[in-house]
């Protein structure tokens, strides 16, 4: 899937700032100024940079610069900020692990990840995903208790990839 893009070529085209994870334009290109932040932000919130006629996710380029090779798995942004490409905020992850570190869904009304209101029974239901399977963790009258159960389950099943809060 990856091309023969090298660390040397990237550093010839871009200036890498490790303290910010930013990649700046080093050589002039049409409509792009030297010193400007390289690439564009996609609708999904990731920065992509075109090199050798191909678009690359900035976080994957940073990984290559720091580790000498492209990652073999997904890259997870530990803090959930897709534009924070500092190497200490990036880690390799499987698809499942990467999904564990997502925030609450946009349609979440409880404000708590993994907790939703079941109108028919007038209780909070707690469910989380574990290895692509929905795990039912019970029904609760109290939102605070439901949120605590969801948090503890994420810690147990998702480990270091657990994303707490909404």
């Amino acid at each position: 899937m990856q091309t023969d893009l090298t660390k040397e070529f990237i550093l010839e085209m871009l200036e890498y700032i490790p303290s910010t994870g930013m990649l700046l334009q080093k050589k002039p290109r049409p409509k792009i100024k030297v010193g400007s932040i390289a690439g564009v932000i996609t609708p999904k919130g990731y920065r992509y940079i075109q090199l050798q006629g191909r678009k690359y996710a900035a976080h994957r380029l940073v990984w290559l610069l720091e580790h000498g090779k492209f990652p073999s798995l997904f890259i997870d942004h530990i803090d959930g900020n897709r534009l924070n490409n500092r190497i200490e905020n990036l880690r390799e992850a499987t698809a499942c692990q990467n999904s564990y570190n997502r925030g609450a869904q946009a349609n979440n009304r409880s404000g708590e990840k993994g907790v939703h209101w079941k109108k028919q029974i007038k209780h909070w239901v707690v469910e989380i995903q574990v290895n692509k399977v929905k795990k039912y963790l019970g029904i609760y009258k109290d939102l605070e208790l439901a949120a605590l159960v969801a948090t503890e389950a994420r810690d147990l099943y998702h480990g270091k990839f657990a994303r707490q809060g909404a």
Side-chain angles (χ1 to χ4, degrees):
M1 182 171 119
Q2 300 299 343
T3 65
D4 56 356
L5 195 66
T6 65
K7 178 178 181 175
E8 294 72 29
F9 177 77
I10 296 168
L11 290 174
E12 184 181 312
M13 300 300 292
L14 305 170
E15 180 182 356
Y16 172 50
I17 314 294
S19 62
T20 63
M22 297 302 265
L23 293 163
L24 306 179
Q25 200 62 46
K26 208 173 192 180
K27 291 197 171 186
R29 295 175 69 185
K31 300 181 184 178
I32 301 171
K33 294 180 182 177
V34 171
S36 64
I37 298 171
V40 296
I41 299 172
T42 67
K44 290 189 176 185
Y46 293 100
R47 182 172 298 280
Y48 272 77
I49 300 167
Q50 187 163 334
L51 295 170
Q52 296 179 330
R54 194 159 167 213
K55 293 178 184 163
Y56 294 90
H59 54 274
R60 295 181 74 79
L61 294 175
V62 168
W63 190 270
L64 171 66
L65 290 172
E66 288 286 343
H67 295 285
K69 64 184 174 90
F70 277 107
S72 55
L73 302 171
F74 288 84
I75 292 294
D76 178 49
H77 289 79
I78 297 167
D79 68 1
N81 178 351
R82 296 171 176 175
L83 295 175
N84 181 357
N85 292 319
R86 292 177 301 113
I87 194 65
E88 57 268 14
N89 188 48
L90 305 176
R91 61 185 168 194
E92 282 192 289
T94 65
C96 277
Q97 290 168 330
N98 198 30
S99 73
Y100 295 159
N101 194 20
R102 274 195 313 231
Q105 292 185 340
N107 62 352
N108 180 312
R109 294 189 198 156
S110 70
E112 300 294 338
K113 187 175 170 185
V115 178
H116 67 272
W117 180 252
K118 189 80 166 175
K119 190 172 17 176
Q120 298 89 328
I121 59 173
K122 295 183 170 68
H123 279 75
W124 297 102
V125 177
V126 178
E127 296 174 317
I128 66 167
Q129 291 277 340
V130 179
N131 294 324
K132 299 182 184 178
V133 176
K134 194 176 280 191
K135 186 162 188 65
Y136 172 78
L137 298 167
I139 59 172
Y140 303 88
K141 257 187 172 173
D142 182 54
L143 174 59
E144 194 173 308
L145 178 57
L148 179 63
V149 168
T151 298
E152 288 180 355
R154 281 192 303 274
D155 283 341
L156 176 65
Y157 293 107
H158 299 171
K160 69 180 182 178
F161 291 90
R163 162 77 83 64
Q164 304 303 351

